Amino acid sequence: MNLLKISWSNIRFRPLNTLLSVVLLAFGVGIISLMLLIKDQISEKFDRNIKDIDFVLAAKGSPLQSILANVYHVDAPTGNIKVADAKRIVRNPMVEKAIPLAYGDNYEKFRIVGTNKDYPDHYGCEVENGKIFEKPFEATIGYEVARDAGLQVGSTFTSVHGFDRAAEGDPDAHHHDKPFTVVGIFKPSGCAIDHLILTPVESTWLVHEHHADEETGDTAHSLDHPEDEEGHVHDEPSPSDPDGDKEMTAYLLIKRNKGAFGMLSKQTEDTTMQLANVAVENSRLMNNFGIGLSTISAIAMVITILSFISIFISLYNSMKDRKYELALLRTMGGTRMKLFALILSEGLILVVLGYVIGLVLSRTGLLILSKTMKENFHYGFDKLGITPYEFLLLGITLLIGIVASLLPALRALRMDISKTLSNG
Amino acid sequence: MLQTTGLQFKYDQGPSFHFPDIRCGKGEHLLILGESGRGKTTLLHLLAGLLKPTSGEVNILGQNTSGLSDRNMDQFRGKNIGIIFQTAYFVESLKVIDNLILPNYLTGVKIDRTKAKNALGRLNLESKINNMPANLSIGEQQRVSIARAIINEPAVILADEPTSALDDKNAQEVIALLEEQAALYGSALIIVTHDKRLKDRFTKQISL
């Protein structure tokens, strides 16, 4: 027998009141904590993907889309640009580094990105197993690709045209014949490479040239003499190709000096290309996103306030119903402070219950959301630990419990037992 | 064991009472009779320290209880006075057995479940140990409240109209139990009532 046992029995004795208070609080806490988790993890993931990339050079269209497609790998690209056109900008002295990206295919919904070694290097991605791709149709894959598509070093796979089409169960999916060989798997890095298949730019060109004209010469040539390609990929990134009609989806640019955006942007004016400023687009994205989160958080706050009122009313009513009980406790040796503590602890038990259930809800929500996001974008939320915000949230919920139970507890403290018992 | 001297009480803007001096020794039983409005409950609350007298004093076990602080009075009462009310009150959310050991817990005495079970056994309530109080009959409830009143082996047992809600058979039973249980620890038993049925049972009586 102790105080907590008595308060717990009292709480269980009024299951409907308890349920209402706890459920409201759990939803309030759950939604707030879910929003915090999402916001934290998304901005962390986004920041990791941005990592010093200043501009994206891609086909004209929505600049935001070109960032989404090429930096975060969640949207479809705006189109292709000609390597010959891009050269002017990519080779501009104001550009310190330009990383080429060429899309077009997927394997099991994982995007195949034609690029060069600069791309994983930029993100500090290291190969855990095997090596980095060197020749066309060699692929180094993210650890999620390896895990979810069941690929290992030495596995081969054929790509499917498009971004999100699954290979199986879709008769319209166009398979390419030439298989890719996995030559390496990256260590988990937390950025988009985790769910990408990287291959030399040439692979994507070859796949699609082959597809376009069914002409074998060019393809056969590179396939027959892959060693020709090797040094080439390494020494000179694709822009220096004897390009002809070669196309690229985008270039990720890192500027050398300030003010580069305006100057470079000017050079795209008469072309089919545009330059998107990552920082600007990202802050626009985060703002929009933030408005959404704030709206949901505001709703959660209203729910939390309702739970506060519910706890208050529930304790206050139960205090009134139990006034004889409380007087009885006094006649049996219970002090005023003990009654005060009893009511207060009932309030605190309610909020702690609500808080814990709320955290469970937010984790469940996060996992469900993460699953949907993974299916659609290969982005998941995997951090389920308690965040510092949630300690703050605990503090706030405890405060809610204390404030809501204070008035009923004070009434218990001040109660005139003689009067209460005489009216019985 | 218990004695009062010159006990007076006046309610704010209400009636005032002047009570005769009371003495009740160890193991003695005292019946205080009075019609409604004569201050029976007021007297019982004064004896129990639930009210403080306007003047005069209540002395229990050599302690002038009127001089105790609220907190000390609560503890003193819990340890030395067992109270039985007209209506049996319980902590509704606790089982019978847990209600019975509440006085142990509240006064910091070692919790003794065996003793509580034995007490229920003596009152023929062993089968009700794990019941909720609300599921007992009124007679059973009153018996449990007697068991609870003696659990801390009090020097004084105060009963406020313990029989008035009961039929003849139950009333006789409850009084017999009260006397029996009071004798167990040599407690002084003081019953305040207007129930005429009890008049012939007690030799020592005071009328208000």
Side-chain angles (χ1 to χ4, degrees):
Chain A
M1 178 66 53
N2 58 48
L3 197 71
L4 284 183
K5 180 177 173 184
I6 304 176
S7 2
W8 179 236
S9 307
N10 282 330
I11 286 172
R12 282 202 324 188
F13 198 64
R14 292 165 182 78
L16 289 182
N17 285 345
T18 303
L19 194 72
L20 180 66
S21 306
V22 170
V23 164
L24 281 173
L25 186 63
F27 272 93
V29 168
I31 295 171
I32 293 173
S33 122
L34 184 62
M35 293 305 109
L36 292 172
L37 286 172
I38 291 177
K39 196 173 178 187
D40 254 24
Q41 297 194 23
I42 284 195
S43 43
E44 194 192 326
K45 287 229 162 172
F46 277 16
D47 286 349
R48 232 181 283 160
N49 280 325
I50 292 173
K51 196 169 187 283
D52 303 329
I53 292 171
D54 295 308
F55 316 127
V56 173
L57 179 67
K60 272 199 166 55
S62 147
L64 181 56
Q65 188 186 346
S66 83
I67 307 280
L68 286 172
N70 300 303
V71 180
Y72 305 137
H73 301 273
V74 292
D75 203 348
T78 43
N80 282 343
I81 54 175
K82 294 245 182 289
V83 172
D85 293 345
K87 254 186 192 169
R88 283 191 293 164
I89 289 164
V90 169
R91 290 193 168 167
N92 191 297
M94 280 186 276
V95 174
E96 185 182 314
K97 189 154 65 164
I99 302 168
L101 297 175
Y103 296 148
D105 292 353
N106 80 83
Y107 173 69
E108 304 259 321
K109 288 193 181 177
F110 290 104
R111 290 185 180 191
I112 298 173
V113 182
T115 182
N116 60 28
K117 202 170 166 298
D118 288 348
Y119 188 53
D121 282 352
H122 177 76
Y123 290 104
C125 287
E126 291 168 30
V127 176
E128 180 156 52
N129 207 342
K131 57 169 191 158
I132 205 104
F133 55 87
E134 285 169 353
K135 302 170 204 163
F137 296 102
E138 284 186 349
T140 307
I141 62 177
Y143 86 100
E144 285 181 25
V145 184
R147 187 190 61 196
D148 298 345
L151 295 175
Q152 295 164 340
V153 174
S155 305
T156 57
F157 61 91
T158 50
S159 61
V160 176
H161 194 63
F163 287 103
D164 297 322
R165 254 182 201 163
E168 69 266 21
D170 186 351
D172 298 335
H174 175 81
H175 285 262
H176 294 295
D177 307 327
K178 175 69 189 165
F180 285 82
T181 305
V182 177
V183 296
I185 297 166
F186 288 112
K187 283 183 187 161
S189 64
C191 59
I193 289 180
D194 286 347
H195 53 81
L196 295 179
I197 297 171
L198 303 190
T199 181
V201 172
E202 289 76 8
S203 315
T204 47
W205 288 339
L206 291 170
V207 160
H208 292 105
E209 273 163 20
H210 171 67
H211 170 52
D213 38 47
E214 301 294 334
E215 191 252 70
T216 46
D218 198 11
T219 317
H221 168 75
S222 11
L223 293 180
D224 292 343
H225 311 283
E227 62 279 7
D228 289 349
E229 301 283 325
E230 190 177 344
H232 172 77
V233 170
H234 253 272
D235 296 339
E236 284 288 349
S238 11
S240 67
D241 269 356
D243 356 86
D245 287 340
K246 297 228 182 311
E247 288 188 332
M248 200 64 81
T249 311
Y251 287 89
L252 305 178
L253 304 185
I254 292 138
K255 67 180 178 210
R256 181 159 280 143
N257 43 7
K258 281 187 182 161
F261 183 74
M263 310 269 250
L264 291 172
S265 206
K266 252 202 175 87
Q267 295 194 30
T268 62
E269 269 171 8
D270 297 326
T271 67
T272 58
M273 303 180 295
Q274 76 174 5
L275 199 63
N277 191 328
V278 175
V280 170
E281 297 308 324
N282 186 58
S283 75
R284 186 185 315 198
L285 178 65
M286 290 317 275
N287 276 345
N288 291 339
F289 187 60
I291 290 170
L293 287 181
S294 312
T295 313
I296 300 173
S297 298
I299 295 170
M301 256 167 265
V302 172
I303 298 176
T304 309
I305 292 169
L306 286 179
S307 84
F308 164 77
I309 296 171
S310 162
I311 291 170
F312 171 73
I313 293 176
S314 149
L315 282 179
Y316 197 85
N317 280 339
S318 108
M319 232 294 295
K320 268 168 60 187
D321 295 346
R322 288 190 288 153
K323 61 180 180 179
Y324 299 119
E325 259 183 65
L326 294 170
L328 177 79
L329 291 175
R330 287 282 304 282
T331 69
M332 297 190 301
T335 57
R336 291 178 188 274
M337 276 319 288
K338 208 153 228 172
L339 300 199
F340 181 78
L342 181 71
I343 306 282
L344 209 60
S345 68
E346 286 179 26
L348 288 177
I349 290 176
L350 286 179
V351 293
V352 169
L353 263 181
Y355 178 79
V356 171
I357 297 175
L359 289 202
V360 173
L361 280 180
S362 74
R363 267 58 187 180
T364 315
L366 197 71
L367 286 175
I368 293 170
L369 212 65
S370 179
K371 194 164 176 285
T372 340
M373 297 249 317
K374 271 205 171 119
E375 276 162 13
N376 293 312
F377 306 119
H378 296 296
Y379 268 91
F381 305 110
D382 27 32
K383 292 194 185 133
L384 299 179
I386 306 267
T387 63
Y389 292 118
E390 285 169 330
F391 285 109
L392 185 69
L393 204 55
L394 176 63
I396 293 170
T397 39
L398 289 179
L399 201 67
I400 286 176
I402 291 170
V403 174
S405 47
L406 203 59
L407 192 64
L410 279 175
R411 270 182 72 117
L413 183 80
R414 293 214 197 99
M415 186 176 57
D416 181 338
I417 28 173
S418 172
K419 210 166 159 186
T420 308
L421 290 170
S422 319
N423 295 340
Chain B
M1 189 106 345
L2 178 145
Q3 74 179 77
T4 69
T5 40
L7 213 49
Q8 289 187 42
F9 186 81
K10 177 166 184 359
Y11 284 100
D12 291 342
Q13 290 146 15
S16 69
F17 298 101
H18 185 115
F19 296 106
D21 289 356
I22 297 168
R23 289 180 77 91
C24 190
K26 189 174 162 64
E28 285 183 350
H29 299 173
L30 172 66
L31 188 72
I32 300 176
L33 278 163
E35 293 304 316
S36 298
R38 303 305 295 268
K40 288 193 305 293
T41 298
T42 305
L43 176 60
L44 188 114
H45 286 185
L46 286 168
L47 297 180
L50 300 173
L51 284 176
K52 287 213 185 303
T54 318
S55 69
E57 60 180 55
V58 178
N59 206 300
I60 296 172
L61 290 170
Q63 169 75 51
N64 175 8
T65 60
S66 323
L68 289 173
S69 69
D70 266 9
R71 186 190 155 76
N72 289 338
M73 186 64 231
D74 286 335
Q75 287 287 298
F76 182 86
R77 186 191 309 118
K79 283 191 179 118
N80 302 306
I81 307 175
I83 310 177
I84 294 142
F85 297 97
Q86 179 175 355
T87 320
Y89 298 120
F90 296 96
V91 174
E92 295 290 337
S93 64
L94 293 177
K95 288 188 271 189
V96 166
I97 181 77
D98 289 329
N99 264 287
L100 218 54
I101 57 170
L102 268 179
N104 285 167
Y105 161 66
L106 291 169
T107 52
V109 172
K110 192 180 175 305
I111 288 170
D112 192 341
R113 285 178 181 270
T114 320
K115 190 174 163 193
K117 278 179 196 159
N118 291 341
L120 286 173
R122 283 197 301 275
L123 300 169
N124 287 325
L125 289 167
E126 53 278 80
S127 60
K128 310 285 182 184
I129 281 180
N130 289 317
N131 281 31
M132 297 312 270
N135 298 334
L136 302 182
S137 72
I138 290 176
E140 286 169 339
Q141 290 184 352
Q142 199 57 291
R143 278 187 281 157
V144 174
S145 74
I146 293 171
R148 187 178 57 198
I150 59 153
I151 201 82
N152 277 350
E153 304 179 11
V156 178
I157 299 174
L158 301 174
D160 186 6
E161 303 274 15
T163 54
S164 45
L166 304 175
D167 59 31
D168 287 356
K169 182 173 166 288
N170 268 311
Q172 292 306 323
E173 230 177 81
V174 160
I175 286 301
L177 285 172
L178 258 178
E179 292 182 305
E180 204 179 294
Q181 300 301 314
L184 218 55
Y185 304 115
S187 316
L189 172 64
I190 298 176
I191 300 173
V192 176
T193 190
H194 71 275
D195 191 345
K196 299 278 192 310
R197 292 176 296 185
L198 304 183
K199 223 175 163 179
D200 305 329
R201 267 193 93 105
F202 294 88
T203 45
K204 212 173 161 187
Q205 296 190 359
I206 293 179
S207 283
L208 295 181

